[in-house]
Amino acid sequence: MYRYPDQGKIITQVGSLPFTDVDAAIAYSLRHDIPFLPELTALGDGMLEYIQHPGQLSCLAAFKKQRFEIVKVQCIGPATLIQSQYDEDDAVMRVYQHVEAILDGLQADEIILVLDEPALGYVGFDFVRLWEPIFDSFSVIRGVHTCGNMQWDQLFAASIDIISFDASKFDIARYYDGRNGKQIAWGITNGEQVTDYRPGDLITGPCGLSHLAHTEADAAERLTLLKQVAEALRTRA
């Protein structure tokens, strides 16, 4: 069993940030309970951009200079690549190569790896089998992030540890009787959207903070909110 819940670590984020300065982005990430690998979309770190050159991220080299108890990293998922016209073998291989490059030399006691699959509700094929060879290749806590609505039972049945979703739009607690061992990363805009918090759950924003729609001030505001909600959840627990 992973250790981060016993350490009271709750806050992380999806990944993309509006920063243009690497050091500032990493400093921002380090203010979270669970630091995350920043993806700076203004510097070419958009999902469909970085996967063209797996392992090339603006913050990666500097991020690896840190030492973590627990850290979160992420990568575009193979189902999303197939939806973007990659063939299956190429999609899985690119994800594998990108994750391998991220984890090589990353100093952490525990690593959460989240596959970003924004539109799983529109996937008309067996996406779960695409994740298995990737997760099986690395010693990580397994997570999947999706932004839209879907058949949530598919995620609860999958061999993953964390389900990350947009709680500002959907109440996932309505769709399960038991969690099947899953932790939930609640993507929120206010604390009331965390409707079934349990130890080991996380709180994040609903989606990333691309520079196309967000500012650094938005990022600061989001972190303030997450810290306030986390304090309330810890008090409640």
Side-chain angles (χ1 to χ4, degrees), residues 199-224:
D201 284 359
L202 306 174
I203 55 171
T204 77
C207 285
L209 292 168
S210 166
H211 76 289
L212 297 175
H214 299 279
T215 65
E216 293 183 20
D218 293 332
E221 185 176 321
R222 173 172 289 183
L223 180 55
T224 296

Side-chain angles (χ1 to χ4, degrees), residues 58 93 122:
S58 55
M93 182 54 66
Y122 298 97

Side-chain angles (χ1 to χ4, degrees), residues 106-118:
L106 185 64
Q107 303 176 76
D109 297 331
E110 289 186 319
I111 299 171
I112 299 172
L113 168 63
V114 174
L115 297 181
D116 285 335
E117 301 276 29

Side-chain angles (χ1 to χ4, degrees), residues 82-128:
I82 292 171
Q83 288 177 297
S84 302
Q85 307 306 310
Y86 285 82
D87 69 50
E88 181 177 313
D89 289 344
D90 190 26
V92 172
M93 182 54 66
R94 283 177 181 272
V95 173
Y96 174 86
Q97 291 172 339
H98 190 69
V99 173
E100 182 181 43
I102 289 172
L103 298 186
D104 183 25
L106 185 64
Q107 303 176 76
D109 297 331
E110 289 186 319
I111 299 171
I112 299 172
L113 168 63
V114 174
L115 297 181
D116 285 335
E117 301 276 29
L120 284 178
Y122 298 97
V123 173
F125 51 83
D126 180 6
F127 48 81
V128 173

Side-chain angles (χ1 to χ4, degrees), residues 37-223:
L37 174 59
E39 296 170 350
L40 305 188
T41 53
L43 301 184
D45 292 348
M47 292 194 302
L48 290 174
E49 293 176 275
Y50 68 64
I51 206 62
Q52 296 177 37
H53 307 284
Q56 295 187 23
L57 289 171
S58 55
C59 290
L60 184 57
F63 196 68
K64 287 184 179 180
K65 295 178 181 178
Q66 307 294 322
R67 179 72 175 82
F68 305 99
E69 289 184 346
I70 174 72
V71 68
K72 173 189 171 287
V73 301
Q74 59 282 328
C75 179
I76 188 172
T80 301
L81 288 181
I82 292 171
Q83 288 177 297
S84 302
Q85 307 306 310
Y86 285 82
D87 69 50
E88 181 177 313
D89 289 344
D90 190 26
V92 172
M93 182 54 66
R94 283 177 181 272
V95 173
Y96 174 86
Q97 291 172 339
H98 190 69
V99 173
E100 182 181 43
I102 289 172
L103 298 186
D104 183 25
L106 185 64
Q107 303 176 76
D109 297 331
E110 289 186 319
I111 299 171
I112 299 172
L113 168 63
V114 174
L115 297 181
D116 285 335
E117 301 276 29
L120 284 178
Y122 298 97
V123 173
F125 51 83
D126 180 6
F127 48 81
V128 173
R129 68 179 178 81
L130 302 175
W131 303 336
E132 292 172 354
I134 297 165
F135 285 133
D136 287 347
S137 299
F138 306 103
S139 179
V140 294
I141 299 167
R142 307 175 177 202
V144 171
H145 172 76
T146 190
C147 297
N149 201 4
M150 63 172 297
Q151 291 181 273
W152 299 106
D153 60 317
Q154 293 176 294
L155 294 184
F156 285 102
S159 295
I160 59 176
D161 303 302
I162 298 173
I163 297 171
S164 174
F165 82 109
D166 183 351
S168 71
K169 295 180 179 177
F170 311 105
D171 182 5
I172 199 173
R174 297 171 56 193
Y175 301 101
Y176 61 77
D177 293 320
R179 287 193 182 184
N180 194 28
K182 304 296 187 287
Q183 308 301 144
I184 293 177
W186 302 84
I188 60 169
T189 57
N190 65 65
E192 295 178 356
Q193 293 160 356
V194 185
T195 58
D196 183 35
Y197 176 78
R198 303 184 189 183
D201 284 359
L202 306 174
I203 55 171
T204 77
C207 285
L209 292 168
S210 166
H211 76 289
L212 297 175
H214 299 279
T215 65
E216 293 183 20
D218 293 332
E221 185 176 321
R222 173 172 289 183
L223 180 55

